[in-house]
Structure formats: structure tokens, C-alpha cells
Amino acid sequence: MQNISTFIFDLDGTLVDSVPDLAHALNATLHDMGLPNYPETTIRHWVGNGARMLVERGLSGSTSVSHGQSNAQVSAALDKFLAHYRALVCQYSALYNGVFDTLTTLKRKQYKLAMVTNKPEEFITPILNAYSLNDMFLVTVGGDSLPEKKPSPLPLLYVSDTLNVNPEACIMVGDSKNDILAAKAANMRCVGLTYGYNYGEDIAIHEPDWVFDCFTQLLTL
């Protein structure tokens, strides 16, 4: 670990359990459209590929997208969803246990901290402010900040370039296969967290360098 200088974190399912707010917003959108609502436990398996994909899965009622809506109709549904989510963000969500103290410890040990999420950029600052995390990260990247999002390595490489560190000096920490695939493609080591959102799959299937059950285990590295 002596050559590790930087930790890059996912947001939803890694730092914050945001599904309660996302589920409320999605179900409100589906209700507006006269479509069935779904339990939070179901929607948990739909999170992780950005807001538009979440809406498409809601319209389909399944992880597999098959809803028969046009691009214009999906865009209209996405606008409804974002409006509902703006009103709800951080109302029902919560930080996972140990996140604040662990980030504080890493920062005190002079590690560089960054965030790469597939969530739209506009929601990052309100969430960080709500949980007093706004001073933790040197760089934050949203799903619409760059031309590509995870599992593309582009956002992770953008962080390493911005912070002027080699990819080999970074560890990506996330809860889904998108985080692991992006890290491997960027030549970064990675931690897979078992408690987040990974479409019902075991995160170990994707062979991260470490698999942890709780966030505080990062300090054991």
C-alpha cells in the first residue's frame, strides 16, 4: 500500500443508501404516467447505471429494458423523475455506518479522495452538503460530467489526470460491477463492497482486489 496515494469512491450504494429517495421519485413518476409502482426492494436491483436507465427499468418493470416507449417518451419520464428527485434528495437517504469517520481518517492520513458516480452531477453537491462531506473530495465526477460514465474507465482516468497521480496509485471503492470493470480498465486496484446495489449479484464474481462487508474495513488496508 506504500505506493497508494488516492481513493476514488462511488456514491450510491457505497457512501449513501439513496434507494429510499430514488424509489419514492421513481414510483411518483410511474404514478404520474398511470403505471404500476414497485417495492423498494425491487428498485434496489435497478440502481447503478444512471438516472435514465433507472427510469427505463421502471417503465419496463424489470432490470431488462423492454417497455415500448419512444426516446421522447423516455426523456419526458426522465424529466418527471428528476423533478420528483430534486424535491426528495436526502429526505429518506442515509450515510452507511462508518463512512464519515473512515473518510475523515483517510483524509487525515493525507490520502487524496475523489468521487466518481453515475448519478447526474447536479445532485452531488446537495448530497455532500447534507452529510457534511463537501470538504472531503478534491474531485467529483457525475454520470453526465464527461462523454462516458462507468463502466468506462474515462471518469477514473480523468480523476487521476486531474490529481496528477498514476492510475496504479489509485484504489476504486464501489459496490457494483460498473465500479470494478471501470477500475480494471483504468489499471487501478479496486475494493468491492457487498452491502450496496449490484443487481442482486455477488460482487466477488467480478474479482475485485478486495471484498469488504463494511466500509470501515478500508482502514485495514
Side-chain angles (χ1 to χ4, degrees):
M1 291 296 294
Q2 291 181 351
N3 66 329
I4 295 298
S5 66
T6 305
F7 283 86
I8 304 173
F9 297 94
D10 177 48
L11 179 57
D12 294 339
T14 297
L15 305 180
V16 178
D17 182 8
S18 55
V19 164
D21 289 327
L22 293 169
H24 274 81
L26 181 61
N27 279 329
T29 301
L30 296 174
H31 176 77
D32 290 345
M33 300 176 70
L35 296 172
N37 278 198
Y38 298 94
E40 182 181 306
T41 52
T42 298
I43 295 173
R44 280 185 179 274
H45 296 309
W46 298 347
V47 174
N49 293 100
R52 189 179 185 92
M53 180 58 72
L54 175 59
V55 169
E56 293 213 57
R57 287 168 173 160
L59 294 174
S60 305
S62 170
T63 303
S64 301
V65 173
S66 178
H67 50 64
Q69 304 275 351
S70 68
N71 284 335
Q73 289 171 317
V74 173
S75 295
L78 176 61
D79 288 342
K80 290 178 182 290
F81 168 78
L82 293 175
H84 285 300
Y85 189 54
R86 287 185 192 104
L88 287 166
V89 66
C90 299
Q91 185 169 334
Y92 302 106
S93 299
L95 276 186
Y96 287 109
N97 290 337
V99 166
F100 186 86
D101 290 344
T102 300
L103 292 177
T104 300
T105 299
L106 291 172
K107 194 171 182 67
R108 188 175 67 244
K109 291 177 178 290
Q110 299 186 333
Y111 287 103
K112 297 177 180 179
L113 308 184
M115 176 189 294
V116 173
T117 173
N118 283 348
K119 181 187 288 293
E121 183 177 2
E122 69 169 287
F123 297 109
I124 296 176
T125 297
I127 291 173
L128 295 186
N129 287 339
Y131 301 113
S132 301
L133 298 177
N134 45 307
D135 294 328
M136 293 287 188
F137 303 102
L138 297 173
V139 181
T140 61
V141 180
D144 52 357
S145 302
L146 300 170
E148 299 174 8
K149 60 179 181 285
K150 299 176 297 185
S152 167
L154 178 64
L156 277 62
L157 294 173
Y158 172 83
V159 168
S160 65
D161 288 345
T162 301
L163 296 179
N164 195 29
V165 297
N166 291 326
E168 295 84 356
C170 301
I171 293 180
M172 175 70 208
V173 180
D175 64 299
S176 83
K177 64 181 179 182
N178 290 329
D179 302 308
I180 309 308
L181 294 172
K184 289 178 180 291
N187 199 28
M188 295 180 181
R189 281 177 275 184
C190 51
V191 171
L193 299 168
T194 62
Y195 57 74
Y197 323 138
N198 191 38
Y199 324 110
E201 294 181 341
D202 183 348
I203 193 69
I205 292 172
H206 304 287
E207 300 184 340
D209 296 280
W210 299 274
V211 176
F212 291 155
D213 295 324
C214 60
F215 196 82
T216 56
Q217 287 179 273
L218 287 173
L219 299 179
T220 67
L221 292 174

